[in-house]
Amino acid sequence: MDQLKEHPQIVELLDTLDKNGLMKEKNEVQSLVSYIGGMEETLTEMLGELQDMRREINLIHNNTLRSKCHTLVEKTEGKIRQGFSAVKKMKDNLIQSAGNAVRAFREKGRDALAESVRAMKIPEALDKLSAMFGRMSKEMAQDTKKLSAMQAELQGAKGHLKNMGLLFMGKAAKEAEHSKSDKGVLSRLSRLFEKAQKGFATLEQKAMDTADKLRVSRVKSSVKENLSRYRRRRKQKKEQSAVSRPLPKKKTAQHRRWGRLAPRTRKNQIYQKRGKKI
């Protein structure tokens, strides 16, 4: 299992984002890388346990029961392999996108780098994974109910064998032992299915929570950017207004003296200066 976080192109992208101060974009990439790594580990563990269970199912004595169990196990294994297919596709896309983002940065600069990360649509990719694992979790819950019904049917058969024991003592004892063994295998398979169902549900919830967290971070970042942009524009307008405003005329000694006189006195002096009488 390759470690995506150690892939050269992913390492280079994260380093480039960090050096350019694009912490929001770096967090988005890291969140997706971390989720993919956790998803891969969970699916690998589930597949290993299921393959071990397959060997136990081969020991079931009841042919019909063994066939039904194999069908359910194959169905579950198909879900897990579908998850692995989604992992591989997402890893390949992310590695390719990381390389494209770094090239865009070298050719066009910081803004192109940020735009390349946004074009990855990481929250939307997590939404798709959440929907897929949610569907798998519901299907696993239905398969677990089928196993419970099979267990109940086997328990009824065991009771019937006890009633027939007086007629066929030897055969009934042997059949009862087989039934007990089969019941044990069914119980272990049922517990494994419940664990798988919870595993899919956990992957669903984690993808949903991660996508929501990234969206909230985007909104907060957008608000901060708009506020900073508004403050810069406001500051620029003030500076432009200060530059374009005409300087006040310098007052002469006579203007200053007139400013201290009463309005009527100033009017009289003006008329006297012009040689007119009031």
Side-chain angles (χ1 to χ4, degrees):
M1 182 170 61
D2 298 332
Q3 288 291 331
L4 183 60
K5 62 182 179 182
E6 296 174 1
H7 194 282
Q9 287 177 288
I10 300 298
V11 172
E12 185 179 13
L13 174 60
L14 292 173
D15 184 59
T16 305
L17 290 169
D18 185 66
K19 289 179 179 178
N20 285 273
L22 296 171
M23 306 314 294
K24 175 174 65 69
E25 288 76 7
K26 179 183 177 182
N27 181 53
E28 288 192 8
V29 176
Q30 283 180 324
S31 296
L32 182 57
V33 169
S34 176
Y35 179 81
I36 290 175
M39 178 173 66
E40 205 167 16
E41 290 178 4
T42 300
L43 293 174
T44 300
E45 181 182 355
M46 290 168 62
L47 185 60
E49 291 178 346
L50 200 64
Q51 289 173 344
D52 291 339
M53 193 69 233
R54 186 187 288 274
R55 286 190 285 270
E56 286 197 53
I57 292 173
N58 289 331
L59 301 176
I60 294 178
H61 300 88
N62 187 305
N63 293 333
T64 303
L65 188 62
R66 184 171 62 247
S67 177
K68 288 181 178 179
C69 288
H70 272 306
T71 300
L72 290 174
V73 167
E74 288 173 1
K75 185 179 176 183
T76 304
E77 188 172 328
K79 293 183 179 66
I80 296 173
R81 296 200 181 280
Q82 184 182 350
F84 274 120
S85 178
V87 167
K88 186 180 184 306
K89 183 178 179 180
M90 188 161 287
K91 285 173 68 174
D92 292 343
N93 289 342
L94 183 57
I95 291 169
Q96 182 179 358
S97 297
N100 293 338
V102 174
R103 280 194 296 273
F105 167 71
R106 291 170 180 166
E107 295 172 2
K108 300 179 182 179
R110 183 178 183 275
D111 290 342
L113 176 62
E115 182 59 33
S116 296
V117 175
R118 286 193 290 270
M120 294 178 187
K121 297 182 178 180
I122 293 176
E124 291 79 1
L126 289 166
D127 286 339
K128 291 180 180 179
L129 289 174
S130 178
M132 181 185 73
F133 286 122
R135 185 183 68 255
M136 290 181 179
S137 177
K138 291 178 181 178
E139 291 175 354
M140 285 302 305
Q142 293 175 356
D143 290 343
T144 303
K145 289 181 180 179
K146 291 179 182 178
L147 272 177
S148 298
M150 290 162 63
Q151 283 178 296
E153 184 179 344
L154 187 61
Q155 185 66 33
K158 183 179 178 182
H160 177 68
L161 287 172
K162 285 182 178 179
N163 293 331
M164 295 292 292
L166 294 176
L167 295 176
F168 306 100
M169 185 62 70
K171 184 178 179 181
K174 187 176 180 180
E175 290 291 334
E177 187 64 30
H178 289 172
S179 178
K180 182 179 180 181
S181 174
D182 293 351
K183 184 181 178 183
V185 175
L186 273 183
S187 297
R188 288 190 291 276
L189 181 59
S190 181
R191 286 194 297 270
L192 180 60
F193 273 29
E194 288 175 359
K195 184 178 179 181
Q197 187 267 328
K198 289 179 181 178
F200 287 137
T202 299
L203 290 173
E204 173 198 11
Q205 189 63 46
K206 188 174 181 181
M208 189 186 303
D209 292 343
T210 304
D212 290 344
K213 185 177 179 181
L214 293 179
R215 286 192 177 93
V216 170
S217 177
R218 281 187 177 186
V219 171
K220 288 182 178 179
S221 178
S222 178
V223 170
K224 288 181 180 179
E225 288 175 0
N226 290 336
L227 183 60
S228 298
R229 196 179 298 114
Y230 168 75
R231 287 174 175 171
R232 286 196 300 268
R233 288 177 180 174
R234 188 177 178 184
K235 184 179 180 180
Q236 289 173 355
K237 284 183 179 180
K238 284 184 178 180
E239 291 174 351
Q240 291 173 357
S241 178
V243 171
S244 61
R245 187 184 302 124
L247 295 174
K249 293 182 179 180
K250 189 174 181 180
K251 291 184 178 181
T252 62
Q254 187 177 12
H255 287 154
R256 287 194 295 273
R257 185 171 61 82
W258 283 357
R260 290 193 296 269
L261 297 176
R264 182 66 182 176
T265 305
R266 289 201 302 271
K267 186 176 180 181
N268 290 343
Q269 288 185 354
I270 291 172
Y271 275 98
Q272 287 174 3
K273 189 174 181 180
R274 294 177 181 175
K276 295 181 180 181
K277 294 183 179 181
I278 299 176

